[in-house]
Amino acid sequence: MLEELRQYYRSVGISAEGFACPNYPACSNGKPKFTTAKEPFVSSGYVNHTLPRVLFISLDSGSAETDPALKTLEAVRQHEEFTEDVLGLPKNKHWYRTHELAHAVLSKFFPALHLEQARHHFAHMNSAKCCENNPGRAQADGTLFNNCRGFIPREIEILAPDVLISQGAWGKAAVNGAFPELEKPAYFPAALDELKLIQVNDRAVIWLHTYHPRNGSFHTRNRANLP
């Protein structure tokens, strides 16, 4: 999986090292703090498929390193899976909330899983690969998301999730229409209209759309139905 991802990123120009994206001039124009692509977080347990593969697709990274060597698959995994203090993260911010939701899903299959252990079993990708590094981690403008949208479907196919969770409108837009939608099974709660079944690599994949965790409605809308 990881080698296939590396080859794909190189082929389309969005690898962290050797970046050569054809959209770079349009995306970076007039943005002095612009940084190039960051590769996704793909945990060891996700690759090994020890639990169902839960893949998050979010917005842009908000802020990013300038050193490409710190943005490769290996470097991102080393930091997020083995260095990051999950329990020390701000509780109302994106990254803690992502771990919390990953744990809520994965603990249904492995009840002994602690929240801080969820990081060994999920993956996270951004729907905008580069970053404008806006003040206050403000979201990038639509140019990045629209230009990156063509990269997303193949990336998801290689990551082969069992559960896909989109965070925020641009994450949803990157998935919407990219894969055939299948008939919802009867066990899907009627109240969860943001829950769909899509076909990826000839497999049925559960797709749950949520607000981005920085949105105040993230943990209120339909929360009672998520289990």
Side-chain angles (χ1 to χ4, degrees), residues 21 23 26-27 32 38 47 57 78 80 95 104-105 114 145 150 157 165 191-192 206 211 214 225:
C21 179
N23 298 319
C27 292
K38 178 182 178 182
V47 173
I57 176 167
Q78 177 62 38
E80 302 297 353
W95 201 226
V105 174
H114 296 292
F145 298 102
E157 289 173 351
I165 301 176
L192 270 177
I206 293 173
Y211 288 106
R214 76 175 61 144
N225 291 306

Side-chain angles (χ1 to χ4, degrees), residues 57-135:
I57 176 167
S58 192
L59 307 177
D60 60 309
S61 62
S63 63
E65 290 280 352
T66 57
D67 184 355
L70 298 178
K71 297 188 289 184
T72 64
L73 287 165
E74 294 79 9
V76 173
R77 176 194 282 186
Q78 177 62 38
H79 175 74
E80 302 297 353
E81 192 170 355
F82 301 107
T83 305
E84 182 74 88
D85 176 13
V86 175
L87 298 182
L89 292 169
K91 301 298 187 287
N92 62 339
K93 299 295 185 180
H94 168 245
W95 201 226
Y96 181 86
R97 292 299 197 193
T98 298
H99 283 77
E100 191 176 51
L101 184 49
H103 177 258
V105 174
L106 293 166
S107 62
K108 299 299 176 185
F109 300 91
F110 183 39
L113 188 74
H114 296 292
L115 189 148
E116 66 270 25
Q117 295 172 322
R119 61 181 173 174
H120 301 299
H121 300 283
F122 74 88
H124 177 278
M125 56 184 278
N126 290 311
S127 54
K129 304 308 177 186
C130 297
C131 185
E132 293 180 358
N133 290 287
N134 290 324

